[in-house]
Amino acid sequence: MALKDMWIPTDFRSVFPKGVLLLGDIEAQTEFSEDRNALKRQAVDLDREGNGSGKRMWKATIMDRAGGKANQASFDVTFVVDQVPVPSEPEVMEGLRPIELEGLLLKPRVVGNGQFKSIGFYIRATGIKGDTSGAKRPAADPGAARPSGKAA
């Protein structure tokens, strides 16, 4: 089926009308290894065939402020970006920060087991609005430090 690996782009406010809170910190997402003694490696956005962006992956837990039941209020989100996103908003409580996800992508999946199955979503984002990590800044202009090529 061609749609099995399709990520659906969507607007942040359509999915989370009251916004979300970041619970704790954003951490590197590590690859699975059957060898317990192997060094942990950060996951990159590539599938087995080599398709994907090749960017590093980070994971975080967010809480939907409009969420109802406890099991429907928190989600894991994966950030696909080279540098860890840093929220600009201050904590509202210890370990809780309001954030707005940029480049939001959803992929439906079946959650639960037996007769209690429902539809859930994998959630990806390309960053956080107001990110203070410097990842979104354009590269510094090297022209000032580079000789112009003219003889002095």
Side-chain angles (χ1 to χ4, degrees), residues 143 145-152:
R146 187 179 302 152
S148 63
K150 297 179 184 176

Side-chain angles (χ1 to χ4, degrees), residues 94-117:
E94 188 174 340
L96 293 175
R97 288 179 192 267
I99 62 170
E100 185 172 331
L101 303 173
E102 292 182 333
L104 186 62
L105 300 169
L106 302 176
K107 182 177 177 181
R109 65 182 179 135
V110 176
V111 295
N113 54 18
Q115 62 184 0
F116 303 105
K117 291 182 183 174

Side-chain angles (χ1 to χ4, degrees), residues 6-61:
M6 182 176 172
W7 287 91
I8 303 165
T10 187
D11 178 58
F12 175 77
R13 289 289 169 193
S14 298
V15 179
F16 303 109
K18 292 185 177 180
V20 297
L21 295 170
L22 174 65
L23 304 175
D25 295 323
I26 299 171
E27 301 172 349
Q29 183 170 327
T30 56
E31 292 180 345
F32 173 77
S33 174
E34 290 184 15
D35 181 6
R36 290 182 178 184
N37 298 323
L39 293 174
K40 302 268 186 210
R41 290 185 3 180
Q42 185 168 2
V44 293
D45 181 33
L46 292 174
D47 63 11
R48 290 186 174 130
E49 289 83 34
N51 300 321
S53 68
K55 295 186 180 207
R56 296 174 8 179
M57 298 172 76
W58 309 87
K59 64 181 178 179
T61 302

Side-chain angles (χ1 to χ4, degrees), residues 68-133:
K69 298 178 183 177
N71 63 347
Q72 299 170 344
S74 69
F75 304 94
D76 290 330
V77 62
T78 300
F79 291 97
V80 182
V81 62
D82 286 324
Q83 193 170 351
V84 63
V86 178
S88 60
E89 296 293 324
E91 290 183 332
V92 292
M93 286 180 59
E94 188 174 340
L96 293 175
R97 288 179 192 267
I99 62 170
E100 185 172 331
L101 303 173
E102 292 182 333
L104 186 62
L105 300 169
L106 302 176
K107 182 177 177 181
R109 65 182 179 135
V110 176
V111 295
N113 54 18
Q115 62 184 0
F116 303 105
K117 291 182 183 174
S118 62
I119 296 176
F121 291 92
Y122 292 112
I123 303 172
R124 280 191 175 182
T126 58
I128 296 174
K129 187 173 184 177
D131 183 357
T132 60
S133 68

